[in-house]
Amino acid sequence: MAISSSNNKVAVVTGSSSGIGYETSLMLARNGFITYATMRNLNKSENIKFNAGRDNLPVRLAQLDVTDDVSIKNAVQAVLSETDKLDVLVNNAGYVLEGAFEHLSMNELKEQYETNVFRMIRTTQAVLPIMRKSGTIVNISSVAGKFGYPGGSTYVSTKFAVEGLSESMAYELEPCGIKVIIIEPGVIRTNIFNIVVVAKNSKDPNSPYTQTTQKMASAFEELMKNSSSSPELVAKVVLEAVTSDNPYLRYLAGKDAETWLDAKRNMTDEKFYEMMKQNLM
Ligand SMILES: NC(=O)c1ccc[n+]([C@@H]2O[C@H](COP(=O)([O-])OP(=O)(O)OC[C@H]3O[C@@H](n4cnc5c(N)ncnc54)[C@H](OP(=O)(O)O)[C@@H]3O)[C@@H](O)[C@H]2O)c1
């Protein structure tokens, strides 16, 4: 049965079991959005259920595995049958594949693209016909959508893809009343680096890249340890973007994101490359 949603906007967030998706779902709900916190495994919904229940927030749960067309279709159908509309989609679900380029298997590459890129295409295509006259698509990219680093060729290239897709979509969708927003977080304290998928062949200690990838992994560990950016900070940026009448195309999230991208803007490619080598390797 349709619940009353005439005065409240309806948002769908993918990957809400933890981190940025979890906080974004709560943040949107706290600010009046009827929010569908979707996740591939509803067994991970206890925390969000508890918080939403305690604070009486309009959070609803739906199973959605972004790599599964049927799951996407069912989730969108459930939202429509309950609320009759969908105003905001936050494409957030994602993970990091790490490993030297030479060692990446096609299956590992395809899985990373499946979740980080094709997911965004699948879920967005599923909601556009519903948003025909108004709506907002938020794509969680990364500062890694702006520059590469050793061991990150796949993850980085998925985020470059998110940037290119989003920017092109923005032109097409604006005349339909649909806004596209790209969020570029820096290093945010979530679980993402604890569950990094390391390419199988990259684990060989005799690989010529072992030293480089190990240094990179330690550099990331340090960055994560020292990061002052929480997932709530990203959620606030998402809220600011989706409640603005004239949102920007891109929003940075985190002090380090600003530092990285200032450096990128103000340096030649060669200088930036040298700076990265010195800092990360
Ligand atoms: N943390 C950072 O430093 C950082 C920086 C820049 C950008 N980002 C981006 O922010 C987004 C969220 O990451 P996070 O840091 O919040 O990490 P996280 O805490 O690990 O959360 C990732 C979420 O994505 C979900 N997910 C993964 N594969 C999925 C699939 N096939 N279908 C549905 N959900 C799936 C996970 O679900 P399960 O619990 O089921 O695994 C989890 O809910 C990602 O797109 C990431 O690239 C993060």
Side-chain angles (χ1 to χ4, degrees):
M1 199 180 62
I3 53 174
S4 170
S5 57
S6 50
N7 297 323
N8 293 75
K9 289 200 166 175
V10 176
V12 170
V13 181
T14 67
S16 294
S17 64
S18 68
I20 294 169
Y22 174 88
E23 295 296 343
T24 299
S25 287
L26 289 175
M27 181 68 68
L28 292 176
R30 280 200 183 97
N31 286 276
F33 286 80
I34 295 172
T35 305
Y36 282 80
T38 74
M39 56 197 81
R40 58 180 162 179
N41 179 0
L42 284 174
N43 290 334
K44 294 189 175 179
S45 63
E46 285 312 311
N47 275 348
I48 203 159
K49 247 194 313 211
F50 174 80
N51 280 310
R54 184 195 57 202
D55 297 344
N56 202 17
L57 299 175
V59 171
R60 296 169 204 284
L61 298 170
Q63 194 277 340
L64 195 163
D65 180 337
V66 294
T67 61
D68 178 348
D69 285 332
V70 175
S71 160
I72 294 171
K73 198 171 150 223
N74 289 343
V76 171
Q77 202 46 54
V79 176
L80 267 193
S81 62
E82 286 177 14
T83 67
D84 245 357
K85 63 177 183 169
L86 203 166
D87 301 287
V88 175
L89 168 68
V90 183
N91 283 310
N92 164 74
Y95 73 95
V96 176
L97 171 65
E98 197 179 88
F101 170 76
E102 186 182 331
H103 292 324
L104 299 166
S105 74
M106 284 315 288
N107 275 345
E108 287 166 334
L109 271 153
K110 280 181 184 165
E111 263 177 50
Q112 173 83 122
Y113 268 79
E114 194 59 54
T115 299
N116 289 16
V117 181
F118 301 138
R119 49 98 184 191
M120 185 199 110
I121 298 173
R122 279 198 178 88
T123 48
T124 307
Q125 285 183 341
V127 304
L128 285 180
I130 305 161
M131 287 183 172
R132 196 51 86 206
K133 289 197 192 81
S134 76
T136 306
I137 307 289
V138 179
N139 291 327
I140 306 294
S141 174
S142 169
V143 288
K146 289 295 174 60
F147 55 82
Y149 53 81
S153 55
T154 321
Y155 179 71
V156 165
S157 63
T158 63
K159 293 300 183 182
F160 269 60
V162 168
E163 295 274 334
L165 279 161
S166 308
E167 196 168 315
S168 304
M169 277 159 51
Y171 290 102
E172 293 176 24
L173 296 177
E174 192 191 321
C176 307
I178 298 169
K179 295 166 187 154
V180 178
I181 293 165
I182 306 166
I183 307 284
E184 297 168 336
V187 177
I188 310 295
R189 287 192 321 271
T190 68
N191 212 20
I192 198 161
F193 294 108
N194 298 328
I195 51 170
V196 164
V197 176
V198 179
K200 197 165 153 249
N201 293 334
S202 233
K203 292 175 185 163
D204 177 356
N206 298 319
S207 154
Y209 308 106
T210 299
Q211 218 190 353
T212 308
T213 47
Q214 278 178 352
K215 275 190 183 160
M216 190 61 217
S218 316
F220 262 129
E221 220 170 279
E222 272 308 291
L223 285 172
M224 184 56 99
K225 239 184 352 201
N226 297 326
S227 169
S228 59
S229 303
S230 65
E232 293 96 310
L233 179 148
V234 184
K236 275 188 197 153
V237 175
V238 173
L239 177 70
E240 180 196 333
V242 300
T243 51
S244 163
D245 288 336
N246 287 304
Y248 300 119
L249 176 61
R250 287 188 169 80
Y251 288 78
L252 294 174
K255 265 263 160 282
D256 64 326
E258 286 166 30
T259 310
W260 287 109
L261 293 190
D262 271 351
K264 181 83 178 107
R265 269 191 294 266
N266 295 323
M267 287 182 189
T268 59
D269 282 349
E270 292 68 29
K271 279 216 165 112
F272 187 80
Y273 184 84
E274 282 308 316
M275 184 275 290
M276 289 291 278
K277 270 202 314 192
Q278 274 165 26
N279 276 287
L280 300 175
M281 297 166 71

